[in-house]
Amino acid sequence: MKYKTRDFGEIEIKESDVLTFTQPLFGFEDYKNFALIYNPEIGDSMAWLQSLDDPSLCFILFDPTPLMSFFKPQLPASVEKILGKGEYICWVICAIPDDIRKITVNLKSPVFINPLTKKMAQIILEQDYPIRFPLIKEDV
Amino acid sequence: MLVITRKINDSIIIELGDGRGNIEIKVLEVGNQIRLGIDAPVGYKVWRNEIYENVLANRMAASPAPLNVLDVVSKLSEKHK
């Protein structure tokens, strides 16, 4: 099915690629269905989480693998109820202000996706991670 | 910060003024945790503060990236090398 997107025009998204929030993004409780869109020039270190309900709603996600030396999210036991059994893919949400050097990611509340069930959830971790973690260190 | 002592089933009223009504916060249960009941006019959203922090972060993240995101990514990959 064709969907309008915020940053990529109209694109084809397979029904099997539709992801559904069983625990939605905080403040965006009405938006459940999304798709991940990759920009071929960037690869899979970032992804666009495009709402399929509202073309103007889109989030940019960052793969936190480069941060794994200190970022080790531990999921609450209740996660299986929300996402179903399986492995979960962790993304963090980017906030990109006008000054791009001040880009931050939300390490406190990542988005977890179960690729088997296509369910996803934003989960507040018990761990004490910052909501606004700067991805780029200030240059001296 | 205004600090008020209340007993169980007591409440406080926050008068919003300008005819916008009142918010009532009632103490329902006391113990290791406390339980609050909140009555607010339609249109007012009540959040747990730790969730509200994420709401603000998500709203900011939802505003369109003002730039070529490729620039960001090239900057990031420089930093992570």
Side-chain angles (χ1 to χ4, degrees):
Chain A
M1 202 174 147
K2 284 210 187 304
Y3 288 95
K4 287 204 175 86
T5 67
R6 188 187 73 184
D7 296 344
F8 301 98
E10 197 175 71
I11 61 169
E12 176 73 27
I13 292 164
K14 287 185 254 164
E15 287 309 302
S16 58
D17 288 338
V18 174
L19 302 168
T20 304
F21 273 111
T22 46
Q23 182 170 292
L25 294 166
F26 300 110
F28 293 86
E29 284 75 12
D30 293 339
Y31 302 92
K32 300 271 165 59
N33 295 317
F34 288 78
L36 280 186
I37 303 168
Y38 297 91
N39 183 329
E41 291 182 59
I42 291 175
D44 52 11
S45 62
M46 289 179 112
W48 274 246
L49 186 64
Q50 171 66 51
S51 165
L52 303 181
D53 307 313
D54 178 353
S56 68
L57 184 65
C58 185
F59 296 85
I60 296 176
L61 305 181
F62 179 74
D63 175 358
T65 305
L67 311 175
M68 286 298 175
S69 60
F70 65 92
F71 180 62
K72 300 178 170 74
Q74 287 166 7
L75 280 164
S78 59
V79 75
E80 260 189 22
K81 268 192 205 145
I82 301 168
L83 292 177
K85 275 190 189 170
E87 289 178 354
Y88 311 113
I89 297 166
C90 175
W91 289 96
V92 291
I93 303 172
C94 299
I96 308 176
D98 286 333
D99 180 357
I100 59 164
R101 288 166 302 173
K102 301 211 163 100
I103 180 173
T104 60
V105 289
N106 183 348
L107 298 185
K108 180 68 181 170
S109 307
V111 171
F112 291 91
I113 301 175
N114 183 336
L116 288 177
T117 59
K118 310 286 177 194
K119 291 178 179 173
M120 57 182 171
Q122 184 174 23
I123 291 174
I124 301 179
L125 300 173
E126 299 261 324
Q127 296 149 289
D128 192 19
Y129 291 127
I131 288 184
R132 293 175 187 82
F133 176 79
L135 268 189
I136 299 175
K137 287 199 186 93
E138 289 288 331
D139 291 318
V140 182
Chain B
M1 180 188 278
L2 174 67
V3 179
I4 300 175
T5 305
R6 299 272 62 193
K7 292 195 205 63
I8 193 162
N9 292 325
D10 286 353
S11 61
I12 63 163
I13 303 283
I14 301 170
E15 188 177 14
L16 297 168
D18 300 326
R20 289 175 297 163
N22 297 332
I23 295 174
E24 179 173 9
I25 302 171
K26 188 171 182 180
V27 180
L28 301 177
E29 254 179 62
V30 191
N32 192 20
Q33 296 184 314
I34 68 160
R35 240 172 127 76
L36 302 173
I38 299 154
D39 268 318
V42 175
Y44 285 88
K45 292 187 175 179
V46 179
W47 301 99
R48 290 174 172 84
N49 74 321
E50 69 274 20
I51 288 177
Y52 188 60
E53 289 291 314
N54 284 294
V55 170
L56 293 182
N58 283 347
R59 282 183 191 157
M60 197 188 156
S63 58
L67 48 104
N68 184 351
V69 178
L70 288 177
D71 290 348
V72 181
V73 177
S74 56
K75 263 212 153 57
L76 289 177
S77 43
E78 282 164 31
K79 298 287 171 180
H80 286 298
K81 264 171 199 164

